[in-house]
Amino acid sequence: MGILDFWRFPRQQVTETKAAPSLPAPTTATSTDAAWLWQLIGATLPDTGTLQVTVNEATAMNCTAVRCAVQSIAEAVGQLPLITYKRGKDGSKDRATEHALFNVLRYRSSDVYSAQNLKEQLTRDALLYGNGFALINRSGDFVELWRIPPTAVTVELDEITYAPFYKVRHGDNREVIYQPHEIFHLMGPSLDGLIGASPIQQGKHAIELALILEEHGLALFRNRAAPSGVVTVDPGLKADQLKALKEAWKAAVGGRKNGDIAMVPGGSGFTPFNFTSTDAQYLELRRFAVTEIARLFRVPPHMLFDLERGTWANVGEMGAEFLTYSLRPWLARWENEVAMKLFREDERDTYFAEFLSDDLTRMDIAARADAYSKLISSRVLNPNEARAKENLPPYDGGDEFINPNTTSSTIPDQNTADKPS
């Protein structure tokens, strides 16, 4: 008999073939007294099942550690300027403000998305789903980028050329096939080189642990799931007597009277509960869950505001660590995808896009002044280049590479230049 034949039998026939259980039937007292007792003490029947949460790309953002890790990277990528440069023959680079991509990558990616919005959103998509997609709308030198939801895109390989192509489901349920040069694909870490793997799915259990711990703590404090003790009474008391005793106890020590002396009838007593080692380790488990999520996204724990190991002395080094090991790979993915998809083949040797990440390693004013002084003295920077880094206007004569410590200034003093001799 196949499985389809099994479902053809009426439900009554199937149940009749089962053997009767050998366990004794529950008594009336067992089934009713349990519910009566829970109702008496003002509680609900316990859920005998295990606490479960659903972890996906949307619900994972309800976990504060995941949200903080994702936003730390996505917002950093979004706020950093992506500048289009032109290479000089001597190896120098100048801002290519005349190029069509300069405004697309720096200010306005389309009629809907600013450059910052698009960079942040595509990076967030890649951090959650493993991939961020945008449609490249090109007409001559005109280029704009339109975000595509990751759930609407399927990446497949051509069976003959093994080149990838993209199936995109549009809002009207049309499925359109696009070639690689038509889709901007910000791909996260991948297992097959074709499509990025979702960190949420790969680290599902670590995120689930953090959510379960949060749910446990919420239930603990909302429902007062850990009472301070239990009142023991004479087993001969009737239901109305137990109820009256409960009301008297609540009136004596409940609410704002917590801590007052409670009087109980003879034969009754109060047994306090002691916290176990598991209760004491709850906060340690929550810290561990945050550290696990930091590992998942390769973000230093201090970026998730876990400052247990942070000090005033090493916080600067931690910031540099975030830029080098957490943010730099995502910046490189952006720069490489821009070079491959947005610049024409005949432009790639001349033009390129690069993030300005100096602001993330920006020191305090005293440290910057000392660094500029050394760089100017060693003729690595001239004064106007140093002023430009501080958003200050240039001054005449500031383009010269001289050591102010060994060369006297030739700039006339404005206070004496106009005085008659």
Side-chain angles (χ1 to χ4, degrees):
M1 180 175 66
I3 191 168
L4 294 179
D5 296 327
F6 173 81
W7 291 108
R8 292 193 184 101
F9 284 97
R11 183 176 179 82
Q12 184 177 2
Q13 282 186 307
V14 176
T15 55
E16 287 178 353
T17 60
K18 293 182 179 179
S22 58
L23 296 176
T27 63
T28 306
T30 304
S31 59
T32 59
D33 288 355
W36 171 83
L37 179 60
W38 282 93
Q39 184 179 8
L40 178 65
I41 64 175
T44 57
L45 286 172
D47 184 7
T48 57
T50 58
L51 180 60
Q52 295 181 352
V53 295
T54 301
V55 178
N56 54 40
E57 288 76 10
T59 60
M61 289 293 279
N62 294 330
C63 177
T64 56
V66 172
R67 182 177 180 84
C68 189
V70 170
Q71 292 301 101
S72 294
I73 297 177
E75 290 178 353
V77 173
Q79 72 178 353
L80 290 179
L82 182 55
I83 306 299
T84 304
Y85 292 100
K86 182 178 181 179
R87 292 188 181 91
K89 294 182 180 179
D90 57 353
S92 61
K93 63 179 183 180
D94 297 309
R95 296 194 177 193
T97 56
E98 76 287 349
H99 198 282
L101 283 178
F102 186 90
N103 287 329
V104 173
L105 301 177
R106 181 66 180 91
Y107 300 111
R108 183 168 173 259
S109 297
S110 66
D111 292 338
V112 176
Y113 295 101
S114 67
Q116 176 181 353
N117 253 344
L118 184 73
K119 288 183 294 182
E120 181 178 333
Q121 185 61 58
L122 292 191
T123 305
R124 187 183 297 110
D125 289 343
L127 287 165
L128 293 175
Y129 296 89
N131 304 273
F133 300 100
L135 178 64
I136 303 174
N137 183 19
R138 189 190 301 271
S139 177
D141 291 335
F142 174 80
V143 179
E144 61 180 2
L145 299 173
W146 291 83
R147 174 185 174 265
I148 306 175
T151 54
V153 182
T154 303
V155 186
E156 298 183 9
L157 281 177
D158 187 280
E159 296 180 355
I160 299 177
T161 64
Y162 290 100
F165 60 91
Y166 299 83
K167 289 183 177 180
V168 179
R169 295 181 301 278
H170 290 273
D172 55 358
N173 291 326
R174 290 182 303 114
E175 189 175 75
V176 181
I177 295 179
Y178 293 95
Q179 297 305 314
H181 68 274
E182 298 175 298
I183 298 293
F184 186 94
H185 184 185
L186 182 65
M187 182 170 61
S190 174
L191 299 178
D192 57 7
L194 178 66
I195 190 168
S198 168
I200 303 301
Q201 297 304 320
Q202 289 187 319
K204 181 177 181 179
H205 296 304
I207 300 172
E208 185 177 5
L209 172 63
L211 290 173
I212 287 177
L213 287 172
E214 186 175 346
E215 289 287 339
H216 170 73
L218 180 63
L220 179 69
F221 292 103
R222 173 185 289 172
N223 302 324
R224 297 184 180 181
S228 58
V230 62
V231 177
T232 57
V233 298
D234 187 352
L237 293 179
K238 297 181 180 180
D240 56 344
Q241 293 174 320
L242 286 174
K243 185 174 182 180
L245 178 60
K246 174 190 170 185
E247 295 298 331
W249 181 270
K250 289 174 62 177
V253 297
R256 296 183 179 180
K257 296 181 180 180
N258 188 12
D260 287 356
I261 298 176
M263 304 298 293
V264 294
S268 303
F270 178 76
T271 304
F273 288 158
N274 295 322
F275 282 104
T276 64
S277 59
T278 303
D279 299 322
Q281 291 176 356
Y282 173 70
L283 289 179
E284 294 182 13
L285 287 172
R286 293 212 66 181
R287 293 192 191 100
F288 173 75
V290 171
T291 304
E292 283 287 272
I293 292 172
R295 292 191 187 105
L296 176 63
F297 290 96
R298 296 190 64 192
V299 174
H302 79 277
M303 295 299 297
L304 306 187
F305 294 92
D306 181 4
L307 302 178
E308 186 177 5
R309 299 179 182 271
T311 64
W312 290 109
N314 64 6
V315 68
E317 296 178 0
M318 288 182 174
E321 179 185 359
F322 170 70
L323 173 61
T324 303
Y325 298 107
S326 304
L327 193 57
R328 180 61 65 185
W330 289 101
L331 301 183
R333 292 184 181 105
W334 266 95
E335 292 170 354
N336 291 331
E337 189 70 7
V338 167
M340 186 168 62
K341 299 288 183 67
L342 299 186
F343 288 107
R344 297 193 305 267
E345 187 174 358
D346 58 341
E347 294 179 328
R348 293 170 189 165
D349 292 335
T350 306
Y351 295 96
F352 67 98
E354 188 177 65
F355 280 95
L356 290 179
S357 58
D358 294 344
D359 286 346
L360 293 180
T361 56
R362 197 174 183 85
M363 303 167 287
D364 60 86
I365 184 63
R368 295 202 307 273
D370 182 64
Y372 290 148
S373 177
K374 293 178 179 178
L375 290 172
I376 292 174
S377 299
S378 59
R379 298 182 177 87
V380 175
L381 294 178
N382 61 47
N384 279 346
E385 290 174 335
R387 290 174 64 85
K389 292 181 178 296
E390 293 295 318
N391 294 320
L392 296 175
Y395 66 85
D396 293 339
D399 294 328
E400 298 182 10
F401 290 89
I402 58 176
N403 185 349
N405 298 323
T406 59
T407 306
S408 61
S409 176
T410 58
I411 302 177
D413 188 352
Q414 298 297 328
N415 296 325
T416 59
D418 297 334
K419 292 183 180 180
S421 57

